[in-house]
Amino acid sequence: MSLARIEEHGSTLVIVNSNASRRGALSPELYEVVLETLKRAEDPKVRAIVFASEGGFFCSGGDLNGLKERRHLSFEERQGMIQSLHDVVGALRNSRVPIIAAVEGGAAGAGLSIALACDMIVASPGAKFTASYVKAGVVPDGGLTSALARMIPRQLANEMCMLARTVQAERLAALGVINLIADDPLAEAHKLADEFAQGPRVAQGVIKGLVSQGYEATEQEQLDSERDAMARAVGAEEAQIGINAFLNKKTPVYP
């Protein structure tokens, strides 16, 4: 039985983590599906990606039984296995297509890293988010400390990572980390994907890149990047469609 698959719904691709018996634990199959989905999303017909799971829990992170066996590997071999996760996280962040995590039940460990690597998060009421690494005597990976440092106060990040305290969706929503709390996160994620599909695909991708870069760049670097991006955008077809529609009080129809 496959532990992950790709579904196609119109202009939206859906990554399905189907490892329900292990609460959505990470698997090599999931990594392959994510990377294949992102490759397919280079097709201009794809306008958004939804990342979802089966079984009532988004992702419980790494399989502890597998992690236990890694003690017998060399340091370099362990690095390589962690790098596989980091390649997935980096690919999610660097994709120019909007990615929406539909989080049912919650996310833990590297599952939280995966959720935070997405561009938007829709979560079920009371969904629990846990940086559970320290309970197993290990430390965060998957870019979790970087993501938390960008998104929440340092004190809360320490509480989550050093004490493995669970934070519910409602608190993260109040901090702006979660975009929407809904009884059916997957359905709402599809609505957001449909909304993205009505917009200018290229401009959306450039904006995603600019926002991501803005956390690391200096103010002057960001000003330069925005200047160059805007100069290119104004000369592009999408701008002509959008500007003409606005001036004529019509709804733009983008290719």
Side-chain angles (χ1 to χ4, degrees):
M1 180 180 176
S2 175
L3 299 179
R5 67 179 184 275
I6 306 171
E7 295 181 355
E8 186 173 338
H9 297 261
S11 62
T12 301
L13 294 179
V14 183
I15 299 167
V16 181
N17 179 3
S18 52
N19 193 6
S21 64
R22 303 191 74 87
R23 300 180 77 230
L26 297 174
S27 65
E29 291 93 331
L30 179 62
Y31 293 169
E32 292 173 6
V33 162
V34 171
L35 296 177
E36 176 61 24
T37 302
L38 295 174
K39 183 177 180 180
R40 287 174 55 176
E42 295 174 5
D43 186 333
K45 295 179 181 177
V46 177
R47 307 304 301 273
I49 296 170
V50 171
F51 201 137
S53 291
E54 295 177 337
F57 199 84
F58 181 74
C59 181
S60 60
D63 186 331
L64 288 181
N65 290 316
L67 289 176
K68 182 179 179 181
E69 297 303 317
R70 292 186 190 180
R71 180 179 183 182
H72 305 293
L73 301 177
S74 69
F75 178 75
E76 290 74 18
E77 288 172 322
R78 281 179 252 152
Q79 278 186 313
M81 299 187 81
I82 297 166
Q83 187 60 47
S84 296
L85 168 64
H86 289 188
D87 289 344
V88 168
V89 169
L92 289 168
R93 288 183 175 174
N94 292 328
S95 172
R96 288 301 180 97
V97 177
I99 304 171
I100 307 149
V103 179
E104 184 76 34
L112 178 55
S113 301
I114 293 286
L116 295 180
C118 297
D119 302 302
M120 302 184 78
I121 301 174
V122 182
S124 59
K128 297 179 179 180
F129 296 82
T130 310
S132 48
Y133 298 88
V134 72
K135 286 186 176 181
V138 294
V139 302
D141 58 5
L144 182 59
T145 53
S146 173
L148 291 176
R150 294 177 176 190
M151 298 176 183
I152 66 175
R154 179 171 63 88
Q155 292 78 5
L156 180 56
N158 283 333
E159 180 181 335
M160 292 182 70
C161 293
M162 299 173 71
L163 295 175
R165 294 267 180 87
T166 296
V167 179
Q168 290 195 331
E170 288 76 8
R171 186 175 183 187
L172 290 178
L175 291 168
V177 179
I178 290 175
N179 299 88
L180 180 65
I181 295 176
D183 292 330
D184 190 341
L186 182 57
E188 292 300 327
H190 275 291
K191 290 180 182 179
L192 286 171
D194 291 343
E195 188 173 345
F196 278 120
Q198 303 306 311
R201 186 182 192 274
V202 175
Q204 289 170 345
V206 173
I207 292 167
K208 174 176 174 175
L210 285 170
V211 171
S212 180
Q213 173 187 306
Y215 287 98
E216 308 293 342
T218 65
E219 183 178 13
Q220 188 57 54
E221 289 171 338
Q222 196 68 4
L223 284 168
D224 291 345
S225 294
E226 290 183 359
R227 175 200 63 204
D228 295 346
M230 183 61 165
R232 285 190 292 268
V234 168
E237 180 186 5
E238 288 182 344
Q240 296 308 304
I241 293 171
I243 292 170
N244 287 334
F246 183 85
L247 293 176
N248 291 290
K249 295 180 172 57
K250 295 181 178 180
T251 300
V253 178
Y254 295 103

